[in-house]
Amino acid sequence: MSRGAAPRLLIRDLEQLVTPAGTAAPLRGRALGDLDWLDDAFVLCDGPTVEAVGRMRDLRPVDGDVVEVDGRGRCAVPGLVDCHTHACFAGDRVEEFALRASGASYEELHAAGGGILSTVAATRAAGERELAAAVRTHAGWMLRAGTTTFEAKSGYGLDRDTELASLRAIGASGGIATWLGAHAVPPEFDDAEAYLEFTLREVLPDAAQLAEFADVFLERGAFDADQARRYLQACRDAGLALRLHGDQFTEAGAIPLAIELGVRSVDHLEATGAAGVRALARSDVVGVLLPASALFLDRPMAPARALVDAGAAVALATDFNPGSAFCESLPLVCSLACTQLRLSPAEALAACTVNAAHVLDRASRIGRIAPGYQADVVLLDAPDWRYLAYHLGADLIAGVVRRGEVVGDVVSPGAS
Ligand code: NIG
Ligand code: FE
């Protein structure tokens, strides 16, 4: 597409436009809450890129074809970035949800061969087309909730064919693929060691061509720290960047391992104690907070306030999956971040935009509304952008612009 040939997109007369300040990433400490906040604002997009942002009074006439979007009564925030989902699965876990409601625990169900392994059975039974359709459906739900970039993990196949099909399905839906080859030990293996040997030998070489990241579930009943180290080192040697599920139920050495290996993020942290908070704050590892998962499992919340106050870099994500967080909404996660994690709305917004983009190694392109960034913008039907977190569970998304195009059936009434 030659520059100037396609019409530009002008979002005009916005009540407010809010974006994380500066260009640094990740934001930590007090800087996490620093936003640039413009009233009566516009965003001008040239193709997939933001060309200019400013106040209406400073808007100069725009040459050439322009598609205008009416921003009156609306607030613009950056397209939301979901850096932790398990969006590639078949079936559901509604029966398990009902059992948990009558007292069964998530860990008990897992130990009895349900939980993750029941989704593994359903995912193995689905073909690649069905899996791709499932990821497309889930990506559509996320987009309607304002998510313009998502990561998704495999980990419900755990055999060669289904793991590779999962990674292809994620890529085909525009997701950023993470190989979660070490999510659980599948039933055909006696122990974690034998399974790891198989998956690193038989699956990793091809998974490394399809994924950007590798992840492991380091937890009692899943993989221990030595096994996680072995898996992650092999994945790093194969060219993957590293993530880690850690401290979800117990502190089993995830934070020391994350720091030792210099992983991109350690995710969950509901069980993290004071020493873990201090260690993470001194490191470059991002702590990814998943309050929808803690809420859904009725678990303690991660020590998010302590992490931010100690200077740790944190991001927010949904953890969208059928078992522990059947929730695709980052606005809902922002609300939980304010009421349960004691983050401010500004900190929550930065955590699921620029800091989440940093986790995905894309902070120079996404997570902000600023010239040169990808033109990903969410329009909120609200008089103040903080309704994003304030209006609990509301559908506030009036429009989504992704790579400079109005997407979905959420076109602003002002679009021509
Ligand atoms: O992040 N804890 C490990 N994996 C997912 C849950 C997966 C599932 O229950 O299906 C999580 O919570
Ligand atoms: Fe997860």
Side-chain angles (χ1 to χ4, degrees):
M1 181 175 64
S2 72
R3 192 185 146 89
R8 282 133 125 190
L9 184 77
L10 175 65
I11 312 170
R12 54 178 303 145
D13 298 304
L14 288 158
E15 284 297 309
Q16 298 171 349
L17 181 149
V18 165
T19 184
T23 57
L27 298 175
R28 351 170 141 238
R30 296 173 73 90
L32 184 65
D34 283 349
L35 298 177
D36 286 336
W37 180 328
L38 299 179
D39 293 327
D40 196 21
F42 73 88
V43 188
L44 178 63
C45 310
D46 184 6
T49 307
V50 174
E51 180 177 334
V53 174
R55 293 204 161 81
M56 283 304 295
R57 64 169 183 259
D58 299 322
L59 177 63
R60 303 273 164 266
V62 182
D63 299 334
D65 286 349
V66 184
V67 173
E68 294 199 353
V69 174
D70 184 354
R72 279 175 298 176
R74 285 161 180 182
C75 297
V77 297
L80 305 177
V81 178
D82 200 339
C83 66
H84 181 140
T85 85
H86 303 254
C88 185
F89 62 86
D92 64 36
R93 302 252 284 281
V94 65
E95 284 304 332
E96 173 185 317
F97 179 75
L99 285 174
R100 284 201 295 108
S102 40
S105 86
Y106 179 82
E107 284 185 286
E108 283 162 10
L109 291 160
H110 180 72
I116 293 172
L117 292 177
S118 67
T119 300
V120 169
T123 303
R124 286 178 173 183
E128 185 163 341
R129 281 163 68 102
E130 194 184 320
L131 280 183
V135 183
R136 264 198 312 279
T137 298
H138 300 152
W141 295 352
M142 292 188 232
L143 184 63
R144 274 194 290 283
T147 296
T148 50
T149 302
F150 72 99
E151 177 261 19
K153 303 170 199 298
S154 67
Y156 292 123
L158 306 180
D159 60 23
R160 181 184 150 77
D161 287 353
T162 318
E163 282 299 290
L164 299 179
S166 298
L167 295 172
R168 284 191 295 268
I170 292 162
S173 294
I176 297 164
T178 295
W179 183 47
L180 179 52
H183 195 192
V185 179
E188 63 274 21
F189 285 88
D190 290 335
D191 59 38
E193 296 292 337
Y195 172 65
L196 280 183
E197 197 184 311
F198 153 77
T199 201
L200 292 175
R201 191 184 61 236
E202 299 292 332
V203 188
L204 171 60
D206 290 320
Q209 306 307 310
L210 297 168
E212 276 186 52
F213 295 90
D215 198 344
V216 49
F217 185 22
L218 198 183
E219 186 56 73
R220 178 176 67 194
F223 297 90
D224 68 23
D226 288 338
Q227 291 159 350
R229 178 185 293 104
R230 187 167 141 224
Y231 172 83
L232 290 174
Q233 280 174 336
C235 290
R236 182 167 61 192
D237 291 347
L240 295 169
L242 307 182
R243 313 273 306 266
L244 180 53
H245 277 69
D247 291 3
Q248 183 177 10
F249 302 110
T250 57
E251 283 190 293
I255 289 179
L257 181 64
I259 294 168
E260 173 194 325
L261 296 181
V263 306
R264 200 89 199 162
S265 73
V266 55
D267 305 35
H268 272 292
L269 307 178
E270 288 92 339
T272 302
V277 168
R278 282 195 300 275
L280 207 55
R282 287 194 300 266
S283 79
D284 289 331
V285 178
V286 178
V288 177
L289 308 166
L290 307 166
S293 167
L295 183 79
F296 204 76
L297 296 185
D298 191 22
R299 302 285 306 173
M301 291 284 160
R305 190 69 257 161
L307 283 163
V308 174
D309 291 345
V314 300
L316 277 171
T318 60
D319 198 20
F320 172 69
N321 74 75
S324 71
F326 196 45
C327 170
E328 70 282 6
S329 169
L330 280 171
L332 185 62
V333 165
C334 284
S335 193
L336 296 175
C338 295
T339 61
Q340 309 301 306
L341 301 182
R342 302 279 162 211
L343 302 192
S344 69
E347 290 171 330
L349 181 66
C352 65
T353 53
V354 58
N355 278 13
H358 171 78
V359 169
L360 299 177
D361 202 15
R362 284 161 168 76
S364 61
R365 303 192 318 238
I366 59 172
R368 289 182 160 99
I369 309 175
Y373 281 75
Q374 190 165 296
D376 295 341
V377 179
V378 173
L379 300 180
L380 304 174
D381 198 358
D384 185 302
W385 76 268
R386 292 171 296 184
Y387 273 54
L388 179 72
Y390 167 54
H391 199 159
L392 178 64
D395 177 14
L396 291 176
I397 311 295
V400 178
V401 172
R402 190 174 53 186
R403 297 195 185 101
E405 290 185 6
V406 179
V407 289
D409 54 359
V410 283
V411 181
S412 162
S416 54

